Amino acid sequence: INRASFYRGIIWVVFLLGLCLLIKLGLWQLSRMAEKKAIEQTWAAGQKAAPVPLSKLLSGDTSPQPYQQVLMPSLSFLPNIFLLDNQTQHHQAGYRVFHLALENTAASSVPTAFLIEGPWLPYGATDNGRDFEGVLMAPPVLLPSVAYVRFPSRGLALSAQAYQHPVKWPLLLQWIDTAAIGRLMGMPVAPFWIQFDKPRLPALSPEKHLGYAVQWFLFSGLWAGYGGYLLCRRQKRRFH
């Protein structure tokens, strides 16, 4: 094989890899569109359904659903604070504070604890602004009558070291694992958390993802067309 044939082979391999990448990006956007549609449907179902007492979810009488509305009971907050890392707000990175709480009227002898989403904390506040940290990490005083069920997503689990002893509070987490928190605390912890603010839908709608998918498929069509044009031109040169 001569050098020219070798380089042409490399070019065609790169061309095919680029075509596969463009098609893959289009298919990925279609899958994201389907995910966003499912989220919107789940969100709409949760908003239409009547609020359920939180005690029924904690006791297992009712199965919790994402974005479900719950009636909040009287609570007692445990002193343990969790900081979920890599959370953004207004294009700034920081932590999301989570509190651990119990029902005051829990009927079970071993009550189930649950996480409550707290405020967002910018990076640096836990190191320098101790007064600022104390205000943001304090448990909420006024509780809404209705809150919302949210489920943690595992995401990229970098290390399970945070859930192991010895523990330094507030506990910095890369992801929320309610089962691991339960083992750490020595008590059952609900597999969901409670959010006081009304959940928002993702910024990118399914229609946006469909538009991006069409864009990537158009790019792949142009890429394939250009490759076909080069191939035809090469064939003509061979026969002339």
Side-chain angles (χ1 to χ4, degrees), residues 22-219:
L22 292 172
I23 294 174
K24 181 68 174 178
L25 288 171
L27 294 175
W28 176 66
Q29 288 295 338
L30 289 179
S31 68
R32 292 291 293 159
M33 180 188 70
E35 291 174 6
K36 293 296 179 66
K37 282 186 176 180
I39 291 174
E40 286 187 353
Q41 292 171 356
T42 304
W43 182 88
Q47 301 307 300
K48 290 179 181 178
V52 177
L54 178 60
S55 57
K56 289 190 174 183
L57 302 185
L58 297 175
S59 64
D61 294 340
T62 302
S63 178
Q65 302 297 324
Y67 305 109
Q68 184 176 19
Q69 300 181 82
V70 293
L71 299 173
M72 293 299 295
S74 175
L75 304 179
S76 294
F77 287 90
L78 300 179
N80 311 92
I81 301 294
F82 302 87
L83 299 177
L84 183 59
D85 197 5
N86 196 28
Q87 303 298 296
T88 59
Q89 183 168 301
H90 304 304
H91 307 290
Q92 184 180 358
Y95 310 101
R96 176 64 64 177
V97 178
F98 283 85
H99 303 278
L100 200 60
L102 293 168
E103 278 189 292
N104 286 336
T105 57
S108 173
S109 58
V110 184
T112 299
F114 55 94
L115 292 169
I116 290 182
E117 182 179 295
W120 175 79
L121 194 67
Y123 284 150
T126 55
D127 301 324
N128 304 318
R130 302 303 299 182
D131 294 336
F132 181 47
E133 173 191 348
V135 171
L136 287 180
M137 294 175 61
V141 178
L142 298 176
L143 302 180
S145 58
V146 177
Y148 304 88
V149 172
R150 298 298 305 274
F151 283 88
S153 58
R154 180 64 178 260
L156 180 62
L158 300 177
S159 171
Q161 185 176 1
Y163 294 106
Q164 300 172 1
H165 291 283
V167 176
K168 180 181 178 181
W169 299 101
L171 186 59
L172 181 62
L173 305 176
Q174 298 292 336
W175 79 96
I176 292 179
D177 186 338
T178 54
I181 292 175
R183 292 191 296 269
L184 183 67
M185 301 300 299
M187 64 175 65
V189 175
F192 55 85
W193 80 70
I194 296 299
Q195 178 178 322
F196 290 156
D197 297 329
K198 187 174 181 178
R200 297 180 179 180
L201 290 172
L204 287 180
S205 65
E207 292 74 19
K208 285 280 190 181
H209 286 289
L210 178 59
Y212 290 142
V214 171
Q215 173 182 292
W216 287 120
F217 288 136
L218 285 175
F219 286 157

Side-chain angles (χ1 to χ4, degrees), residues 9-25:
I10 293 294
I11 290 172
W12 283 110
V13 168
V14 172
F15 168 79
L16 291 174
L17 289 176
L19 181 60
C20 291
L21 176 61
L22 292 172
I23 294 174
K24 181 68 174 178
L25 288 171

